[in-house]
Amino acid sequence: LDQITEAMGLPEGHFYDLFIENFIIDHPPNMRRIEPFLYRCVELDKLDTIRKVVGVIMDNLLYSSKLFEIAEDLFAQGQHEAALILYENVAEVEKYQHSERLALCQYRIFTLQIGDDQNQNVGVTAVFEAFVERLDEIDQLDALKDLANVYRSLRKWDKVDEMAKKMRAKAEIQYSMKHQANRKFQEQEKKTKGPLFGYIAYADLLCASVCEAQGDYKQALQYTYAYANLDWVKETDEDALRWVNLFKNWAEGNTYVYKLLSGEVSALPDYVDYICTSPDKSEKEMVAKLMNIVMAANQYQIDVDDVLLQFEENINSFAQLPASNDMYTQQVVPDQYARFGYELAYYFLNRGMHSDGFKYLIYATKSSNTLNNVTCFKNCLGLFVHFQAYAIPEIQAEFYNFIEKVWLNNVKKNGSIDRCN
């Protein structure tokens, strides 16, 4: 069909709709014919055609298994839009089945639908959470970790705590089974994305973040000491030692953070030294570390001008978000960037450095709006109103133009734009 189309000088896929009508709808579904056709539609980015084909054949449960296999292959290739169509259709057909395949479909849908809009993420996360227990025991660990990180970005700390404790309990069981099993079982068992002990340690790290959010820095330190001490880990390979050292490094930094946030200003020089000597100089890590300093400075009126000058290069470049498929980087990091912008704006504006303050305030306002982070967005509006008398006309115009744009987009989204013309 492609050769005929090419010979006729027509666009690729010109006859695909006719092909569906004559060879798929009017005939018993034949996967040997349909599978290569679906892959060709993916190559041509004909997503509507894929929807049409899948809609025709999904009345029969017999085809869901093969479509799931194709979806998994497309997912692995990074063809996420096409894979999502297949996952959604398989999930719809199997919605009354209590199968692991249905749960895995929902996990993939959750992964692909989580995005910038935190309001939408609330609904997507709530739907998937109901399917976690149907996943394979190993997949449950990664799913709970992903859920915890999304809830962390949404600041739903009770849910972070719940997911973290579930993950810890399940990981402890799997870790115990792993070291009681024979070598043959260990070779055959399904692998987690990271080492099993890492899920136990990460659960403590998440619980510490919950305590931090609640202002209980003493308890946060206890959880931090827990994942700092990993002497119980039995693995001694290079990858395991790398993870053990990572957790120890994170624990050292967070120990300084919780002391700082509890008012121990004397911990600041040690924390700055830690940042300078830390092996991880990635942008997302630097933002998190510097945000802790600015938060403490704002809370306890500490002068950190010298520290900010020392890391001026990092601060000036922090607005470029790193690309990643990791849920922490996708969800927690953008939220941290928006909050860091707000904390910097608060610090600079309150110290009379209005040019820098408004620069970061506008960044934080735009970022929190993109993320639909209502709390941060409201804080930004309040901060601007409080200091608007110090804003030059160009800054005021930029800010008000952006707010008007947000308003008009919101009105349009709700179907009442005509009233605003």
Side-chain angles (χ1 to χ4, degrees):
L1 183 60
D2 285 340
Q3 290 174 339
I4 292 170
T5 306
E6 183 181 1
M8 294 176 69
L10 295 170
E12 290 182 300
H14 181 79
F15 292 114
Y16 280 11
D17 286 341
L18 281 175
F19 179 79
I20 295 171
E21 292 174 13
N22 289 277
F23 291 94
I24 296 180
I25 294 177
D26 293 343
H27 292 77
N30 183 336
M31 288 307 298
R32 284 184 299 177
R33 173 179 288 159
I34 292 171
E35 182 176 358
F37 182 64
L38 287 174
Y39 277 105
R40 182 64 177 139
C41 288
V42 172
E43 290 177 17
L44 298 178
D45 198 31
K46 297 181 74 68
L47 300 181
D48 287 339
T49 305
I50 294 173
R51 289 188 185 92
K52 189 178 293 185
V53 173
V54 174
V56 169
I57 67 174
M58 284 310 293
D59 289 339
N60 194 326
L61 271 172
L62 294 175
Y63 300 108
S64 63
S65 176
K66 184 61 181 176
L67 285 178
F68 177 75
E69 291 178 15
I70 297 172
E72 288 285 85
D73 185 41
L74 293 174
F75 182 79
Q77 293 178 27
Q79 298 285 356
H80 292 161
E81 288 185 278
L84 180 59
I85 294 170
L86 301 187
Y87 285 130
E88 288 178 332
N89 277 273
V90 173
E92 177 62 25
V93 170
E94 298 199 355
K95 62 184 177 182
Y96 299 116
Q97 311 294 317
H98 290 271
S99 66
E100 184 182 326
R101 183 165 61 218
L102 171 61
L104 196 50
C105 273
Q106 293 291 352
Y107 188 12
R108 298 285 190 253
I109 292 170
F110 161 76
T111 302
L112 295 173
Q113 287 187 336
I114 288 292
D116 291 337
D117 189 330
Q118 293 191 344
N119 266 354
Q120 178 180 313
N121 290 348
V122 171
V124 172
T125 305
V127 169
F128 170 58
E129 189 181 334
F131 292 90
V132 172
E133 295 293 335
R134 301 188 202 177
L135 288 168
D136 175 275
E137 287 86 352
I138 297 300
D139 286 330
Q140 286 183 28
L141 296 178
D142 287 311
L144 288 167
K145 180 171 176 281
D146 287 344
L147 280 169
N149 278 323
V150 175
Y151 280 129
R152 189 177 174 186
S153 72
L154 297 171
R155 296 163 304 284
K156 291 185 175 292
W157 299 111
D158 57 333
K159 299 299 292 185
V160 176
D161 189 64
E162 180 186 345
M163 297 302 110
K165 287 175 178 174
K166 281 185 179 180
M167 180 175 71
R168 193 184 208 285
K170 292 175 183 291
E172 286 176 335
I173 292 171
Q174 292 298 318
Y175 194 73
S176 177
M177 289 173 58
K178 174 183 178 180
H179 289 284
Q180 290 174 3
N182 57 45
R183 184 180 297 254
K184 184 178 179 181
F185 174 80
Q186 289 183 34
E187 291 173 353
Q188 293 177 345
E189 69 176 338
K190 190 171 183 177
K191 303 294 183 183
T192 49
K193 291 179 182 177
L196 267 174
F197 70 81
Y199 294 84
I200 301 171
Y202 193 67
D204 286 329
L205 188 152
L206 287 169
C207 288
S209 71
V210 173
C211 294
E212 176 191 350
Q214 296 170 341
D216 189 351
Y217 303 119
K218 184 177 180 180
Q219 186 59 50
L221 277 171
Q222 296 308 308
Y223 280 116
T224 303
Y225 295 148
Y227 68 81
N229 181 13
L230 298 179
D231 294 342
W232 50 270
V233 172
K234 294 180 171 61
E235 288 81 2
T236 56
D237 59 275
E238 185 177 342
D239 187 56
L241 293 176
R242 182 178 70 86
W243 278 102
V244 167
N245 288 330
L246 272 176
F247 278 108
K248 286 182 177 179
N249 183 262
W250 292 334
E252 181 186 355
N254 285 332
T255 298
Y256 294 133
V257 170
Y258 298 140
K259 288 181 178 180
L260 255 181
L261 292 176
S262 62
E264 291 186 36
V265 179
S266 59
L268 180 58
D270 291 334
Y271 188 46
V272 173
D273 288 342
Y274 161 79
I275 296 174
C276 293
T277 57
S278 177
D280 190 350
K281 293 291 193 300
S282 64
E283 190 173 293
K284 65 179 182 180
E285 286 299 319
M286 292 300 292
V287 164
K289 291 167 182 173
L290 293 174
M291 182 174 68
N292 292 325
I293 290 177
V294 182
M295 285 174 60
N298 289 336
Q299 187 171 347
Y300 297 106
Q301 293 79 51
I302 308 170
D303 186 333
V304 293
D305 288 356
D306 290 344
V307 177
L308 297 181
L309 185 62
Q310 183 177 347
F311 296 102
E312 184 177 19
E313 186 176 338
N314 301 98
I315 294 171
N316 288 338
S317 64
F318 87 91
Q320 299 299 317
L321 291 174
S324 174
N325 292 324
D326 173 68
M327 198 63 72
Y328 174 84
T329 307
Q330 278 186 9
Q331 297 301 312
V332 178
V333 172
D335 186 64
Q336 286 182 337
Y337 278 34
R339 287 169 51 215
F340 184 42
Y342 170 77
E343 293 292 342
L344 280 172
Y346 186 98
Y347 179 83
F348 286 129
L349 289 172
N350 275 284
R351 290 183 171 267
M353 292 178 271
H354 300 125
S355 177
D356 287 334
F358 284 117
K359 177 180 73 172
Y360 290 111
L361 181 56
I362 288 175
Y363 167 80
T365 306
K366 292 180 177 179
S367 296
S368 58
N369 176 66
T370 299
L371 295 169
N372 218 336
N373 183 335
V374 177
T375 301
C376 189
F377 188 71
K378 287 180 178 179
N379 286 341
C380 290
L381 293 182
L383 191 59
F384 183 84
V385 169
H386 189 74
F387 286 97
Q388 64 180 322
Y390 300 96
I392 61 176
E394 290 81 3
I395 291 293
Q396 291 199 23
E398 182 179 359
F399 192 86
Y400 287 128
N401 286 339
F402 175 72
I403 296 302
E404 184 179 29
K405 183 180 177 182
V406 171
W407 166 62
L408 289 174
N409 286 340
N410 189 59
V411 171
K412 184 177 181 180
K413 185 178 178 181
N414 290 289
S416 54
I417 188 67
D418 289 340
R419 286 183 289 170
C420 301
N421 288 338

